[in-house]
Amino acid sequence: MSGVGFLGAIIIGILAGWLAEKIMKRNHGLVTNLVVGLVGSLLGALVAGLLGINFGGWIGSLVVSTAGAVLLLFLWGLVKRRA
């Protein structure tokens, strides 16, 4: 999330977590959405970097963060099913 700043990263994290929650049909709180969004943004940035996808600004960061958060929730669901 280059160029959005600390506060922007938090806002994008909350939005990405909320969008991922809606996409995956889950029900979490604000803090969980923030954590899922921020961790998802790291995961999304890693995957985007490995695929050679360049992103920047608010929109690009939100898209990549949301995709990473959806991937995180999907993987978490797989882990919870096995346990």
Side-chain angles (χ1 to χ4, degrees):
M1 284 194 272
S2 61
V4 296
F6 181 73
L7 183 60
I10 291 175
I11 293 168
I12 289 171
I14 291 171
L15 287 173
W18 180 78
L19 286 171
E21 172 187 68
K22 298 303 176 196
I23 291 169
M24 297 298 290
K25 295 178 176 62
R26 306 273 174 93
N27 190 16
H28 303 126
L30 180 65
V31 174
T32 304
N33 285 344
L34 173 62
V35 171
V36 167
L38 291 177
V39 174
S41 70
L42 295 174
L43 182 61
L46 174 70
V47 171
L50 291 173
L51 295 175
I53 299 170
N54 293 326
F55 64 94
W58 284 81
I59 303 274
S61 295
L62 182 61
V63 169
V64 169
S65 297
T66 302
V70 167
L71 179 61
L72 178 67
L73 289 176
F74 174 75
L75 294 173
W76 182 253
L78 290 178
V79 169
K80 284 184 79 171
R81 279 189 214 146
R82 286 191 168 201

